[in-house]
């Protein structure tokens, strides 16, 4: 899978999450790009957001011309972790970067409710 080139994630957030979960920041940056590329390849950002809006109650937090900010069941990340073949620590760091990104960009709590996770998807790729 070819990595997507995105400026969605703040370097400081990536470094903090990498440190908190004891993973390499460069590897985390690569996995963030891999995740964005995987969404774009199948089924596509617009299509996955459409499906989530049909499947889950009120997943869209905010939408800009560049990014979707979403709340989804935490199990969505389990599926991405499996698809990306990442360790538990790397998956935790991925989820944490998305949490930081969504909570910084929108008016949601920095801590999602139990069973919920945040996802930021780049619309420009």
């Amino acid at each position: 899978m070819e990595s997507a080139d995105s400026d969605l994630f703040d370097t400081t957030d990536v470094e903090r999450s990498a440190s908190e979960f004891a993973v390499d920041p460069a590897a985390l940056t690569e996995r963030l790009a891999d995740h964005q590329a995987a969404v774009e390849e199948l089924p596509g950002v617009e299509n996955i957001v459409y499906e989530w809006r049909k499947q889950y109650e009120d997943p869209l937090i905010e939408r800009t011309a560049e990014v979707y900010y979403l709340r989804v069941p935490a199990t969505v990340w389990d599926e991405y972790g499996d698809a990306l073949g990442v360790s538990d620590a790397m998956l935790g760091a991925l989820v944490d970067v998305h949490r930081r990104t969504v909570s910084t960009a929108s008016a949601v709590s920095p801590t999602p409710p139990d069973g919920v996770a945040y996802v930021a998807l780049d619309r420009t790729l």
Side-chain angles (χ1 to χ4, degrees):
M1 161 183 345
E2 193 171 312
S3 292
D5 225 1
S6 176
D7 294 325
L8 176 58
F9 304 105
D10 181 77
T11 304
T12 302
D13 287 344
V14 172
E15 290 170 357
R16 286 181 182 150
S17 296
S19 175
E20 188 171 315
F21 287 87
V23 299
D24 177 61
L28 177 54
T29 298
E30 289 176 19
R31 295 303 73 77
L32 287 162
D34 290 346
H35 170 252
Q36 294 292 312
V39 172
E40 185 55 41
E41 286 177 18
L42 185 70
V45 170
E46 301 296 329
N47 289 334
I48 194 72
V49 171
Y50 175 77
E51 289 300 319
W52 286 348
R53 290 180 83 176
K54 288 183 359 186
Q55 189 172 3
Y56 306 127
E57 185 177 332
D58 198 25
L60 185 63
I61 296 168
E62 190 174 326
R63 175 182 61 200
T64 69
E66 295 84 25
V67 182
Y68 281 112
Y69 300 101
L70 304 137
R71 70 175 67 77
V72 296
T75 55
V76 166
W77 275 112
D78 295 336
E79 294 173 24
Y80 280 124
D82 289 345
L84 294 170
V86 297
S87 67
D88 289 345
M90 184 60 76
L91 180 59
L94 283 165
V95 172
D96 195 56
V97 172
H98 279 261
R99 178 192 64 78
R100 291 173 190 273
T101 301
V102 172
S103 65
T104 298
S106 65
V108 296
S109 168
T111 306
D114 285 342
V116 173
Y118 297 144
V119 178
L121 296 177
D122 193 324
R123 300 178 72 192
T124 65
L125 301 177

